[in-house]
Amino acid sequence: MIGDIIEIRAGILRTMTTPKKRRSWAEPFKIKMVEPVFMTTREQRQKAIEEAGFNTFLLRSEDVYIDLLTDSGTSAMSDRQWAGILLGDEAYAGSRNFYNLEEAIQKYYGYKYVVPTHQGRGAEHIISRIMIKDGDYIPGNMYFTTTKLHQELAGGRFVDVIIDEAHDPDNWHPFKGNIDLDKLEALIKKVGAEKIPYVAMATAVNMAGGQPISLENLKATRELTQKYGIPIIHDMTRVAENAYMIQQNEDGYHDKSVEEIVREICDLTDGATMSAKKDPMVNIGGFLALNDEKLFDEARNMVVIYEGLHTYGGMAGRDMEALAIGIAESVQSDHIRARVGQVHYLGRRLTEDGVPVVQPIGTHGVFLNAKRFLPHLSQDKFPAQTLASEIYIDSGVRSMERGVVSAGRDAETGDHHYPELELVRLTIPRRVYTMAHMHVVEESVQAVYENRDKIKGLEMIYEPKHLRFFQARFRKLS
Ligand code: F0G
C-alpha cells in the first residue's frame, strides 16, 4: 500500500506519495490542569451580543465558549513557567527575576539592553517618545493599531511600505510581510533620511494576516537603511512564528533551528519592542530592547515616569520569571511546529470547505475574508464586524474584527480608512485548545457561510476617539 504524508507548508497542502505509512504527530505536551468552559443557548448569545453593542471586545468571557479573540495573554503557561511564578522576587529594585529576564533576552534575541514594560504598547510609547520628532515619517511593513497610534501621538506619520501582495488576501506569496524596497527608498528620497527616525519592521505581520518577512528581504532592507543611516526597530511580538516560516519556506534555512533564525533576525536590527503576551506565552508583560547605550539611557529614564522602576517596568517579579522561561520555550522546535501546525490545520480545513480565508494561512490565526464572505455588504456596513458577531451568535466562538473599524479614521480628513483587508481573525491561543475545538470552530464558520445571504450589516452608534475597535458600539441594520 502506498501511504500519504500530508505536509503543510505556508498553508499549502501538498500530498506526497511515499512508500511509508502515514504517521501523525501530536501536541508536545499533556494536559495537567483544566478550566471548564460552558455552552450557552442561541437566545442567550443573541442577548449577550446585543448588550455588547455587536462588539466582541465587549462580551463577557463567561458568555464565550471558544475564545479566539486574541492570542495575547491567553496562552497556557507550562508547569515550569508556573513554578517560576513561585520564585517571584518582589523587591522594588533589583529583583533577581529581572536579571534572569535580561539574560534570556540577551541569550535568545541578542539585544544588549533591556527595559521591561507592562506590555507591548508600553514599549511602543517609550520608543516613539524618545525617537520620533514632530513631522517625522515612520515607514513600516503594515500598521499595527497601538504602534501607529503611539507614533502619531509622538508627532510622527506612519507610511506603509509593505509589498503590494500583502494587501491582496488571495495572493499566495510566501513572504507577504516583506518590505517593498522601492517604496522605502522613494520615501527616503522624498522626505530625507533625517525625517525618518527608524524603520518599523514587524515579524509575522499581524494586520496582513500573520504573514512572515523573509531573511533575504530583511537583509536587503538592512543594506538600504544602513546606506542612509536609518536604524531598524523590530516589532518582535511573534518572531519565533516568523522564524518557523523561514525555516519551512526560505532557501538556505531548512537546516537551521528556529532558535538560530530568531537570532539572525534580531541581529539585523537595532532594537525591538515586544508584547510578551504572544510568543513567550505569559499573561502580561513586555519589554523594549536596544543596542545603543545612549538610547537605552533615555528609555530607562522614561520608563520610571510611565511604567515603573527600570528593573520591573510594570511587571511583577513573578511575571518576569515566567517570561524568562517562556522565551526559551517559544523557540523550541517541537513547540513551534505544533503551534503553527494547529493554526494551519484549521486554515486548511476551512480552505477545503470553500470558505474565503486569507492565503497563505498565517501563523497565529486564520483570517476570514469578510469582503468575499459577505459580498453584498459594502465596507461602510462593517462586514467583518458583522461576521464576527454572527459567528458568535451561531456557536459562542469569539473572534475579532480587523478591517474598517480597526483601521480608524484619517487624522487629517476625519474619514474612515477603508483598508483593502476587511478580515475576521480566528486567533488561536498557544497550547490551549484541542483539535476537537478546531472542528467546532470550522463547523460554525461553515454554518454561517451557508446562511450568508441572510446576513445584514451594522451601523456604528458609539465611536471612541482612540483605538475605536475596542469600545465602539453598533446596531443591526434592518
Ligand atoms: N505589536 C503587535 C504585532 C501586536 O500584535 C500587539 C498586540 C502589540 C504590538 C501591542 O502589544 O497588546 O501587549 O500592548 N496585539 C494584540 C492582538 C492585542 O490581539 O493582536 P500589547
Side-chain angles (χ1 to χ4, degrees), residues 4 294 319 355 435:
D4 289 336
K294 257 185 72 195
D319 294 327
V355 173
M435 291 307 194

Side-chain angles (χ1 to χ4, degrees), residues 206-395:
N206 193 350
M207 301 302 280
Q211 303 294 331
I213 180 171
S214 71
L215 262 165
E216 186 192 17
N217 181 258
L218 179 55
K219 282 182 202 161
T221 303
R222 183 64 162 173
E223 213 173 287
L224 176 68
T225 51
Q226 275 184 336
K227 200 169 92 186
Y228 292 98
I230 300 170
I232 299 178
I233 299 295
H234 173 199
D235 182 339
M236 64 179 307
T237 296
R238 296 180 183 85
V239 65
E241 294 176 6
N242 194 123
Y244 176 72
M245 297 314 295
I246 288 175
Q247 183 196 56
Q248 296 300 300
N249 292 322
E250 188 165 351
D251 285 343
Y253 289 94
H254 304 313
D255 296 327
K256 292 223 161 143
S257 68
V258 167
E259 184 180 333
E260 287 168 321
I261 299 171
V262 163
R263 187 58 197 269
E264 194 172 334
I265 295 170
C266 295
D267 284 350
L268 288 162
T269 70
D270 301 283
T273 55
M274 169 62 118
S275 169
K277 303 165 75 175
K278 282 82 163 178
D279 252 5
M281 296 170 285
V282 288
N283 301 124
I284 194 75
F287 57 82
L288 172 63
L290 293 162
N291 287 334
D292 183 90
E293 199 180 348
K294 257 185 72 195
L295 271 182
F296 167 61
D297 199 51
E298 282 180 59
R300 198 160 62 150
N301 200 221
M302 191 157 279
V303 78
V304 299
I305 311 174
Y306 295 106
E307 303 278 322
L309 194 75
H310 57 275
T311 55
Y312 77 86
M315 268 189 283
R318 54 180 171 269
D319 294 327
M320 291 191 281
E321 191 64 29
L323 171 52
I325 297 164
I327 288 171
E329 290 180 5
S330 74
V331 298
Q332 282 169 7
S333 57
D334 53 354
H335 158 71
I336 198 76
R337 180 176 76 150
R339 188 287 183 275
V340 179
Q342 187 182 41
V343 176
H344 285 189
Y345 178 77
L346 176 63
R348 194 181 78 222
R349 289 184 70 109
L350 285 167
T351 306
E352 286 167 357
D353 296 337
V355 173
V357 299
V358 175
Q359 302 292 353
I361 305 302
T363 59
H364 66 305
V366 178
F367 290 67
L368 306 175
N369 180 355
K371 278 189 186 169
R372 271 185 48 207
F373 203 113
L374 301 172
H376 55 290
L377 296 188
S378 54
Q379 225 172 342
D380 60 349
K381 294 191 177 130
F382 309 111
Q385 189 79 28
T386 306
L387 180 53
S389 57
E390 291 296 329
I391 293 169
Y392 171 74
I393 293 167
D394 180 75
S395 59

Side-chain angles (χ1 to χ4, degrees), residues 32 76-84 281 325-326 329 431:
K32 186 167 342 209
M77 289 206 290
S78 65
D79 51 359
R80 291 171 145 261
Q81 285 180 293
W82 280 109
M281 296 170 285
I325 297 164
E329 290 180 5
R431 311 192 288 210

Side-chain angles (χ1 to χ4, degrees), residues 3-21:
D4 289 336
I5 291 179
I6 293 175
E7 185 195 48
I8 318 156
R9 188 170 283 175
I12 303 166
L13 172 72
R14 288 184 205 147
T15 308
M16 302 188 316
T17 326
T18 87
K20 282 201 211 124
K21 257 188 91 153

Side-chain angles (χ1 to χ4, degrees), residues 161-180:
V161 294
I162 203 164
I163 56 170
D164 287 340
E165 287 87 338
H167 295 280
D168 175 359
D170 301 316
N171 189 301
W172 282 76
H173 193 298
F175 293 102
K176 281 165 111 175
N178 280 356
I179 290 173
D180 185 324

